[in-house]
């Protein structure tokens, strides 16, 4: 008699399709009057603690074309490295840092988030992970949402000690996960395929 | 975090590894758009950290009264969308068969003729002035959800010269952790278009495809009003954390 472990199987993913905006950014897609404002348009609200930054970039396909129909979501900790989430076991998250944002890319595949620089978050085996923002990208032609992380170019010391970046460094690709900071702007271009292909994660 | 006191509030458990045999691969050439949009390199795997175990939460007070009623939420006062009236309902569970309460579900679809309300859409089937095609809800304490809509029509698309999508409703799902984030599509029992759809067939496991097919539910059908379809959804489950701290998550 074999022991049965009756775990259910996860519902399979399917592409979000070219009209993903109807469901995720309805006002952007021209469906007004159903909800007052598209969800995720503000990552932080007035009074948030921390350094205000703009995170912007382009999503590009394997032919060098902009992915003009994608939707990008981000998830990040507050300036103290605490997540504003019921699943966060620590207390004291900044109530003005929602930590989650969603933007439809424009015709050039470009997205922009106004947010704050997150603090360092504890690593599973002690120590800290370097400051980072989790990204999730869906679009026509993407069968299962693509997950990656953006780290910061002005955090070289912390980045060297980060356990996830270390895995990417072993295959010479950690540079694709670093957002380039200049003043208050961080640039993070995402290449889905080919030369400079961004590291994607199975999290 | 090795020095945490035994009685400290437990951290939510890491997620079970995603079983990619149940999902489509990134590169699926029968679905042409995937060819240039599929990464060529392998994904990097790691056990979930706090960044994946946590996720945003949305309160029930965010919802408008008509957010889960696509028959009227875009219609002019006193009017309704044209089409086959249905209610879609089900339960959101995790892999441990534990209900997932209080999480956001968003859905979108074409109208009864297969036409989407979107600026980049050019199909000749007409728009319904009383149908927007967008809705959302938050699961109740037992993980249940429901919404009213009209059954969407099949829809032609430029893949092969004569490819048509089966009738479908798109779903976007949040869980309690960002690692559970999922987008999928729901199909309707008995639709002959399911078996020949290149997007459906990006999934190689027939049993997995079957789990995307909503069942006609005559016991919840409202006589002389609308038919019911049942669609249960499963998100990734959390592992127990016996050694990190106290058992938690299932």
């Amino acid at each position: 008699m074999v022991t049965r472990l009756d775990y259910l199987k996860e519902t399979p993913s399917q592409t979000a399709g070219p009209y993903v905006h109807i469901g995720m950014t309805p006002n952007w897609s021209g469906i007004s009057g159903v909800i007052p404002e598209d969800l995720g348009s503000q990552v932080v609200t007035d009074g948030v603690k921390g350094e205000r930054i703009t995170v912007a970039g382009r999503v590009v396909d394997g032919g060098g074309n902009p992915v003009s129909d994608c939707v990008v979501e981000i998830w990040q900790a507050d300036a103290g490295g605490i997540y504003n989430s019921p699943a966060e076991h620590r207390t004291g998250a900044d109530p003005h840092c929602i930590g989650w944002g969603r933007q439809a890319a424009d015709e050039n595949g470009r997205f922009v988030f106004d947010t704050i620089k997150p603090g360092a978050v504890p690593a599973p085996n002690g120590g800290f992970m370097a400051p980072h923002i989790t990204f999730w990208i869906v679009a026509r032609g993407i069968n299962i949402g693509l997950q990656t992380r953006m780290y910061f170019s002005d955090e070289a010391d912390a980045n060297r000690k980060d356990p996830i970046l270390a895995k990417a460094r072993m295959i010479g690709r950690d540079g694709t996960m670093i957002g380039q900071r200049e003043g208050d702007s961080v640039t993070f271009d995402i290449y889905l395929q080919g030369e400079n292909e961004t590291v994607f994660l199975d999290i | 975090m090795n020095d945490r006191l035994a009685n400290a509030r437990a951290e939510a458990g890491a997620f079970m590894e995603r079983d990619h045999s149940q999902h489509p691969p990134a590169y699926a050439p029968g679905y042409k758009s995937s060819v240039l949009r599929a990464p060529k390199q392998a994904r990097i795997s790691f056990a979930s950290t706090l960044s994946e175990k946590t996720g945003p939460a949305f309160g029930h007070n965010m919802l408008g009264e008509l957010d889960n009623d696509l028959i009227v939420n875009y219609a002019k006062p006193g009017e309704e969308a044209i089409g086959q009236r249905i209610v879609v309902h089900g339960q959101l569970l995790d892999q441990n068969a534990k209900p997932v309460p209080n999480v956001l579900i968003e859905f979108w679809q074409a109208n009864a003729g297969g036409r989407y309300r979107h600026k980049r859409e050019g199909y000749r089937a007409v728009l319904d002035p009383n149908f927007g095609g967008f809705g959302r809800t938050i699961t109740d304490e037992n993980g249940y959800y429901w919404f009213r809509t009209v059954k969407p029509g099949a829809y032609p698309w430029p893949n092969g010269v004569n490819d048509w999508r089966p009738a479908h409703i798109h779903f976007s799902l949040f869980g309690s952790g960002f690692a559970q984030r999922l987008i999928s599509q729901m199909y309707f029992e008995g639709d002959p278009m399911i078996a020949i759809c290149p997007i459906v067939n990006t999934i190689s496991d027939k049993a997995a495809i079957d789990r995307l097919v909503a069942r006609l539910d005559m016991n919840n059908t409202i006589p002389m009003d609308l038919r019911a379809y049942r669609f249960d959804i499963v998100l990734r489950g959390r592992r127990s954390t016996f050694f990190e701290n106290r058992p938690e998550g299932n």
Side-chain angles (χ1 to χ4, degrees):
Chain A
M1 181 88 179
V2 174
T3 304
R4 293 183 58 189
L5 295 170
D6 289 337
Y7 298 112
L8 301 178
K9 290 178 158 67
E10 187 185 10
T11 294
S13 176
Q14 292 269 264
T15 179
Y19 308 129
V20 53
H21 315 96
I22 295 173
M24 299 200 13
T25 53
N27 290 293
W28 183 94
S29 79
I31 298 174
S32 53
V34 178
I35 58 170
E37 117 177 305
D38 289 339
L39 208 58
S41 46
Q42 275 195 301
V43 184
V44 296
T45 56
D46 287 347
V48 70
K49 295 189 194 75
E51 253 181 288
R52 299 292 289 243
I53 55 169
T54 298
V55 177
R58 291 177 72 222
V59 184
V60 179
D61 76 10
N65 313 298
V67 180
S68 57
D69 52 8
C70 68
V71 168
V72 179
E73 290 187 6
I74 61 169
W75 173 239
Q76 66 166 85
D78 69 11
I82 299 177
Y83 283 100
N84 189 350
S85 169
E88 168 64 89
H89 63 286
R90 299 166 297 165
T91 54
D94 180 352
H96 300 292
C97 180
I98 298 161
W100 175 77
R102 173 190 281 172
Q103 292 290 331
D106 68 13
E107 64 273 18
N108 299 312
R110 188 177 155 81
F111 61 84
V112 183
F113 291 98
D114 291 319
T115 182
I116 50 138
K117 185 173 176 183
V121 172
N125 299 315
F128 285 88
M129 297 187 281
H132 64 273
I133 297 178
T134 298
F135 274 69
W136 188 71
I137 302 127
V138 293
R140 168 178 66 87
I142 295 176
N143 289 322
I144 183 163
L146 294 170
Q147 290 142 335
T148 188
R149 283 185 180 187
M150 186 200 85
Y151 290 85
F152 294 81
S153 61
D154 59 337
E155 291 283 350
D157 284 349
N159 289 347
R160 248 191 306 280
K161 296 176 201 145
D162 183 90
I164 310 304
L165 271 180
K167 285 175 181 273
R169 194 174 302 118
M170 277 164 39
I171 51 173
R173 299 175 59 213
D174 51 316
T176 70
M177 297 173 76
I178 310 287
Q180 297 303 316
R181 179 154 185 187
E182 280 176 53
D184 298 335
S185 305
V186 185
T187 302
F188 185 54
D189 292 332
I190 296 169
Y191 295 90
L192 299 186
Q193 187 189 86
E195 213 180 328
N196 302 320
E197 183 176 304
T198 301
V199 168
F200 294 104
L201 305 171
D202 190 16
I203 59 177
Chain B
M1 306 308 284
N2 298 325
D3 58 352
R4 187 182 302 118
L5 298 171
N7 288 333
R9 188 174 162 205
E11 192 176 317
F15 286 98
M16 295 177 186
E17 183 179 6
R18 180 165 262 163
D19 177 358
H20 284 281
S21 74
Q22 298 300 304
H23 292 283
Y27 178 75
Y31 174 29
K32 294 178 182 178
S33 296
S34 75
V35 171
L36 282 179
R37 293 182 170 196
K40 289 216 158 82
Q41 305 291 327
R43 282 175 285 248
I44 291 181
S45 302
F46 57 94
S48 19
T49 73
L50 259 179
S51 304
E52 293 79 36
K53 292 191 277 194
T54 56
F58 306 95
H60 290 264
N61 58 0
M62 172 186 87
L63 298 176
E65 207 178 320
L66 302 178
D67 281 6
N68 68 337
D69 193 341
L70 282 69
I71 293 177
V72 294
N73 72 7
Y74 191 80
K76 293 185 223 20
E79 297 190 19
E80 297 196 340
I82 291 170
Q84 299 178 32
R85 301 160 59 82
I86 59 171
V87 58
V88 177
H89 74 113
Q91 195 178 18
L92 185 64
L93 301 166
D94 72 9
Q95 289 177 273
N96 296 307
K98 198 171 143 184
V100 184
N102 303 319
V103 302
L104 180 67
I105 303 182
E106 298 161 296
F107 22 85
W108 64 100
Q109 62 169 93
N111 70 21
R115 173 72 186 261
Y116 284 96
R117 185 173 290 280
H118 192 282
K119 51 193 165 193
R120 293 181 190 149
E121 139 83 289
Y123 181 36
R124 65 186 300 170
V126 295
L127 281 170
D128 176 348
N130 290 314
F131 186 73
F134 160 71
R136 63 184 183 182
T137 188
I138 291 178
T139 57
D140 73 9
E141 65 276 15
N142 296 311
Y144 285 104
Y145 75 91
W146 66 272
F147 60 96
R148 289 203 322 168
T149 187
V150 293
K151 191 176 174 189
Y155 171 80
W157 59 299
N159 186 62
V161 291
N162 193 23
D163 277 331
W164 292 70
R165 298 302 321 285
H168 63 280
I169 299 177
H170 297 265
F171 276 69
S172 160
L173 305 140
F174 285 84
S176 51
F178 207 58
Q180 289 170 301
R181 196 77 182 83
L182 183 70
I183 279 189
S184 195
Q185 301 181 28
M186 182 205 99
Y187 305 101
F188 292 85
E189 181 176 16
D191 187 340
M193 307 300 291
I194 296 170
I196 57 173
C197 174
I199 288 180
V200 172
N201 287 321
T202 59
I203 302 168
S204 55
D205 183 328
K206 296 288 179 226
I209 291 173
D210 194 52
R211 287 186 282 112
L212 293 180
V213 180
R215 287 344 194 228
L216 178 64
D217 178 6
M218 289 307 292
N219 285 332
N220 279 298
T221 285
I222 303 174
M224 305 306 286
D225 184 352
L226 38 72
R227 287 181 303 160
Y229 279 89
R230 169 89 187 200
F231 183 55
D232 293 337
I233 303 163
V234 180
L235 299 179
R236 290 169 69 184
R238 289 185 190 266
R239 299 157 58 95
S240 302
T241 52
F242 294 107
F243 301 106
E244 289 170 58
N245 37 55
R246 68 185 164 82
E248 177 79 17
N250 57 17

